[in-house]
Amino acid sequence: MTLSSLRLKKHADRRLKAGHLWLYSNEIDTGATPLKGLEPGQQVVVEAANGKALGVAYVNPNSLICARLVSREPKQGLDRSLLVHRLNQALALRQRLFAAPYYRLVHGEGDLLPGLVIDRFADTLVVQLNTAGMQAVLPELLDALDKVLSPTTVVLRNDTSGRRQEGLERYVEVVKGEVADPVLLEENGVRFAAPVLDGQKTGWFYDHRINRAWLNQHVAGKRVLDLFSYVGGWGVQAAAHGASEVLCVDSSAAALERVAENAALNGLHERVAVGEGDAFEALAALKADGEEFDVVILDPPAFIKKRKDIPNGERAYGKLNREAMRLLGRDGLLLSASCSMHLAPERLVDAVRGAVRHQDRHGQILFQGHQGPDHPVHPAIPETSYLKALGVRVFRD
């Protein structure tokens, strides 16, 4: 297949040569290769200003990131063969890291498959195609998954907000097998049921696995508050690792039903309670009632989705940490997390520091966590590093 060319402006190849995979529309020599003549998802040969071929990318002329590199071999496009190769590379890493088949199998650019996310729940795969380029090779991807893993079930969770920006429809579809929703998984020795058809993202958040493992070491005999609990990933694990009492708070009644089910699944229903409501309102109500906890977990959704949200988002993180600390005893532990890629790690530290001083207490950062190794960071793409978690001792003299 002969591919069209996409010519870069002079010096616009520097980031690609440094390892990056993205090209922006203002880097394209549109006089030589007009973007308007290309279809979303179409594959092209990327050329330097001097005409030298640099690799193959797929394009979306309607997006700010107008092209994403999939191969540095100009004769190798994104086809079944390359997908099989990349999936085998990704699988080899996960099999090296984990004994059981519960993990993120593909993490987009981090696995050199931009726009593709796959979470694995044993023989069930939940797939997200976030770009027109990945959507265009869906048949080849399904064939490659059969070749590499032969899954029993494949679910497409193509309902992300990013698809709208790519001009793609949003839908959820089971394209292979049948789903016994929720599906089972195991993390840090605790069993869970994840709602892969209608839960958040793919139904589960594997990215906090290592951070939860750290916290699990420090909850025995403690009273724990888990805010933004979703289906209980933090709270139920805390109970399983010896917490005396856990309260999970979330705004979703459906999520809290899953918390109760996951607690029961592990024989922990007597130690795990749930409360429905807005997190900030719940914090105020708990304080008014005189409640106190040994451990508070803050794992909110992204308060900062775009750069313009940074000021308001940083204020929200500050307020959340301040209000949460009011519920800690004299010597408590705060787990404060953020999945906002646009929140710099030092700004989360600032939010915690400000909250500690606001309460006239002392703080000691005991742990700084990140996304797990099944969410690999591409060293040339800072955007692939998004998750932050701080374990903080908060105490009074």
Side-chain angles (χ1 to χ4, degrees):
M1 181 175 62
T2 301
L3 300 179
S4 299
S5 297
L6 191 67
R7 182 72 58 88
L8 301 181
K9 293 178 180 177
K10 190 175 182 180
H11 303 311
D13 59 349
R14 287 175 176 172
R15 283 187 313 104
L16 285 189
K17 289 181 176 178
H20 214 294
L21 304 179
W22 295 351
L23 291 170
Y24 294 93
S25 55
N26 62 2
E27 296 175 315
I28 309 303
D29 183 348
T30 53
T33 54
L35 284 170
K36 292 182 178 179
L38 300 173
E39 294 294 325
Q42 182 177 339
Q43 295 187 42
V44 296
V45 175
V46 178
E47 297 176 351
N50 63 5
K52 180 182 177 181
L54 301 175
V56 176
Y58 62 69
V59 301
N60 190 337
N62 305 316
S63 175
L64 176 62
I65 303 174
C66 73
R68 299 175 197 247
L69 201 72
V70 293
S71 170
R72 293 187 182 271
E73 170 52 58
K75 295 182 180 179
Q76 176 61 67
L78 186 61
D79 56 13
R80 182 182 182 276
S81 174
L82 183 58
L83 287 163
V84 167
H85 176 63
R86 294 270 194 259
L87 289 171
N88 275 320
Q89 287 179 318
L91 179 62
L93 172 64
R94 277 69 179 181
Q95 290 178 331
R96 188 187 314 166
L97 295 169
F98 306 111
Y102 306 107
Y103 42 68
R104 173 149 293 183
L105 174 65
V106 173
H107 185 58
E109 281 80 352
D111 285 297
L112 305 181
L113 287 168
L116 178 63
V117 169
I118 303 177
D119 279 352
R120 184 180 186 187
F121 304 87
D123 292 328
T124 295
L125 300 179
V126 182
V127 178
Q128 290 183 327
L129 307 170
N130 296 316
T131 57
M134 274 297 165
Q135 183 71 45
V137 296
L138 175 57
E140 292 86 351
L141 173 63
L142 295 177
D143 284 347
L145 288 172
D146 277 338
K147 170 74 174 177
V148 175
L149 280 173
S150 298
T152 302
T153 305
V154 177
V155 179
L156 299 183
R157 279 298 301 268
N158 287 339
D159 54 352
T160 62
S161 59
R163 284 179 63 89
R164 184 184 297 114
Q165 298 168 7
E166 285 277 313
L168 299 170
E169 65 173 328
R170 300 170 68 184
Y171 64 95
V172 177
E173 183 181 0
V174 180
V175 292
K176 183 180 182 183
E178 297 181 355
V179 178
D181 194 44
V183 300
L184 298 179
L185 68 114
E186 182 177 309
E187 182 179 291
N188 296 327
V190 184
R191 292 179 297 161
F192 289 92
V196 299
L197 290 180
D198 58 6
Q200 295 180 24
K201 304 294 186 179
T202 65
W204 182 254
F205 294 90
Y206 283 122
D207 51 3
H208 268 306
R209 181 198 319 249
I210 306 301
N211 304 327
R212 292 182 184 124
W214 178 82
L215 186 66
N216 291 343
Q217 303 172 69
H218 304 286
V219 295
K222 306 297 185 182
R223 190 167 192 243
V224 177
L225 172 63
D226 179 11
L227 283 170
F228 309 97
S229 68
Y230 185 42
V231 297
W234 292 93
V236 173
Q237 284 193 44
H241 287 84
S244 60
E245 182 182 345
V246 177
L247 173 60
C248 291
V249 175
D250 199 275
S251 61
S252 166
L256 293 175
E257 289 179 9
R258 298 295 190 194
V259 171
E261 293 171 6
N262 285 323
L265 189 62
N266 293 277
L268 301 167
H269 53 281
E270 293 183 355
R271 277 191 277 154
V272 178
V274 300
E276 182 183 351
D278 171 82
F280 289 99
E281 294 176 0
L283 286 169
L286 289 167
K287 182 62 179 177
D289 291 342
E291 298 286 356
E292 194 173 88
F293 297 87
D294 304 300
V295 179
V296 175
I297 302 161
L298 304 177
D299 184 17
F303 288 160
I304 306 173
K305 295 184 184 296
K306 299 178 181 179
R307 288 189 183 277
K308 66 179 180 65
D309 301 329
I310 289 176
N312 288 337
E314 288 184 348
R315 283 192 287 272
Y317 284 112
K319 180 181 178 182
L320 179 64
N321 281 272
R322 287 195 303 273
E323 296 305 306
M325 283 185 191
R326 297 174 67 210
L327 293 175
L328 284 172
R330 290 189 61 85
D331 192 349
L333 184 62
L334 176 74
L335 192 293
S336 182
S338 168
C339 61
S340 296
M341 180 269 293
H342 292 294
L343 182 73
E346 61 270 19
R347 298 300 289 161
L348 182 60
V349 173
D350 284 346
V352 168
R353 175 192 52 77
V356 168
R357 295 312 307 140
H358 186 270
Q359 301 298 328
D360 197 23
R361 301 195 194 190
H362 303 290
Q364 295 172 318
I365 296 177
L366 312 179
F367 172 77
Q368 296 188 61
H370 311 279
Q371 62 215 60
D374 52 345
H375 294 63
V377 174
H378 192 297
I381 308 178
E383 292 87 348
T384 60
S385 178
Y386 66 96
L387 196 68
K388 296 154 282 280
L390 298 175
V392 186
R393 181 192 184 200
V394 180
F395 61 102
R396 302 183 190 275
D397 277 332

